[in-house]
Amino acid sequence: MASSTFLSDWNQMIKPRVTTLVLATIIPGLYLAGNQSPSGFLIAVTLFGTFLMSSASFIFNQIIEKDRDAKMKRTSNRPIPAGRIGTLQATLVGFAMMGVSFYLLTAYVNLLTALCAFAALVSYVFLYTILLKPRTPQNIVIGGVAGCVGPLIGYAAVGNSLPIQAWILFSMIFLWTPAHFWALAIFLKEDYSDADFPMLPVVKGIDQTARSIFFYTILYSASCIGFYFFEPSMGLLYLISSILVCIWMGILSFQLMKNPERQAARKFFFFSIFHLFLINAMIVIDHSL
């Protein structure tokens, strides 16, 4: 029972399900940056090093937000506010993961890759968690930069450079993040209000948030389709599939705007995750074909 609780607690601390989405955005860059497929070793080290850096950032986030987490129903039973993991212990583990990640990426991939991963951690911990999240409803628009670094890591790992295609994929996730996160904030509005986080639904209301989600969905969809015109290896398979799923996502965001209720927000939120996974998968599949 104790070992089960231990594993469950650290699973909550490092949020592997969220990190999986970040890792999925690395893979297209790994395949697009070179003239041949990357080695299994390079893929494994890049993904594992990024996993450790991402895990460290989530640990630091929960250390910083422990008092606010204690006020929210969704987070009050997290290991730190519940007292099952101490702040010092979590801090030491976070720094250990960060250090091992930076060493692995520098020694077995390259310095640029390590710096990209570290920049994501700094952005998430300082720009988003400390500076923006407690102060502005636009926190996720600017602070969401941390979650956009996956494509840069992928391109850096293989090509040791950051070409225009990497930045277009970066921009794609940058535009995806507000719509995705604001949908979550709609059905967690009371929790964020209890913790005094100025999330958009709390400050501007659900109607305004739904309109903003629709706006960003249109921009995100345009970036997904636009990637076809900047990446020579993309074919009709990617173009047609991206158009279809972007239309579907646009319909869901329009329905949410017309009927801004929690169930519609939840439906959009989970589809947005599927959408980003699918877009990244189709990039790799189309490139391979």
Side-chain angles (χ1 to χ4, degrees):
M1 181 64 71
S3 61
S4 176
T5 302
F6 176 84
L7 293 175
S8 175
D9 283 344
W10 282 105
N11 183 71
Q12 291 184 64
M13 293 293 293
I14 65 176
K15 299 184 180 180
R17 286 186 296 179
V18 180
T19 300
T20 299
L21 190 57
V22 176
L23 299 183
T25 66
I26 294 175
I27 295 175
L30 289 171
Y31 283 88
L32 294 176
N35 296 322
Q36 58 187 13
S37 297
S39 68
F41 178 78
L42 180 65
I43 294 174
V45 174
T46 303
L47 295 182
F48 182 62
T50 304
F51 174 83
L52 290 176
M53 192 70 79
S54 178
S55 298
S57 69
F58 289 132
I59 290 173
F60 293 142
N61 168 269
Q62 291 180 64
I63 293 169
I64 295 165
E65 294 186 345
K66 63 182 186 300
D67 294 333
R68 291 179 186 266
D69 280 348
K71 299 178 182 179
M72 299 170 64
K73 293 179 182 178
R74 182 175 65 96
T75 57
S76 61
N77 196 42
R78 281 179 173 173
I80 295 180
R84 296 190 301 275
I85 292 178
T87 301
L88 177 60
Q89 180 186 7
T91 302
L92 292 175
V93 172
F95 274 108
M97 284 186 165
M98 182 182 70
V100 172
S101 168
F102 197 87
Y103 169 75
L104 289 175
L105 294 175
T106 302
Y108 296 101
V109 186
N110 56 55
L111 179 60
L112 180 60
T113 303
L115 290 174
C116 286
F118 182 68
L121 180 144
V122 172
S123 175
Y124 186 72
V125 173
F126 291 97
L127 180 63
Y128 174 65
T129 303
I130 295 176
L131 183 62
L132 297 173
K133 190 176 180 181
R135 292 178 174 84
T136 170
Q138 295 297 314
N139 46 34
I140 197 60
V141 177
I142 305 168
V145 166
C148 308
V149 179
L152 305 186
I153 292 173
Y155 273 91
V158 173
N160 200 19
S161 64
L162 302 175
I164 183 64
Q165 291 88 344
W167 291 104
I168 293 173
L169 291 177
F170 175 97
S171 301
M172 186 189 300
I173 305 169
F174 181 82
L175 295 170
W176 171 88
T177 302
H180 165 77
F181 194 85
W182 284 334
L184 172 69
I186 286 177
F187 61 84
L188 295 177
K189 178 184 176 184
E190 283 72 23
D191 261 2
Y192 284 123
S193 179
D194 291 341
D196 298 319
F197 280 125
M199 295 301 178
L200 194 62
V202 176
V203 177
K204 297 293 185 179
I206 293 178
D207 288 349
Q208 176 61 45
T209 304
R211 288 193 291 270
S212 297
I213 289 173
F214 179 74
F215 173 73
Y216 272 94
T217 299
I218 298 303
L219 294 179
Y220 165 63
S221 298
S223 70
C224 290
I225 297 169
F227 184 69
Y228 167 83
F229 300 99
F230 286 90
E231 174 50 57
S233 68
M234 290 298 95
L236 289 178
L237 177 62
Y238 172 78
L239 179 62
I240 294 172
S241 60
S242 64
I243 289 174
L244 291 177
V245 294
C246 285
I247 289 174
W248 190 357
M249 189 169 178
I251 291 172
L252 291 178
S253 67
F254 182 78
Q255 290 174 343
L256 175 60
M257 185 173 62
K258 291 299 181 181
N259 186 28
E261 296 181 351
R262 291 186 180 183
Q263 189 58 37
R266 185 183 296 270
K267 186 176 181 181
F268 177 88
F269 171 78
F270 286 110
F271 181 78
S272 68
I273 298 174
F274 167 76
H275 192 287
L276 191 61
F277 266 117
L278 184 61
I279 285 293
N280 283 275
M282 292 311 302
I283 290 174
V284 176
I285 293 171
D286 198 330
H287 175 74
S288 300
L289 294 177

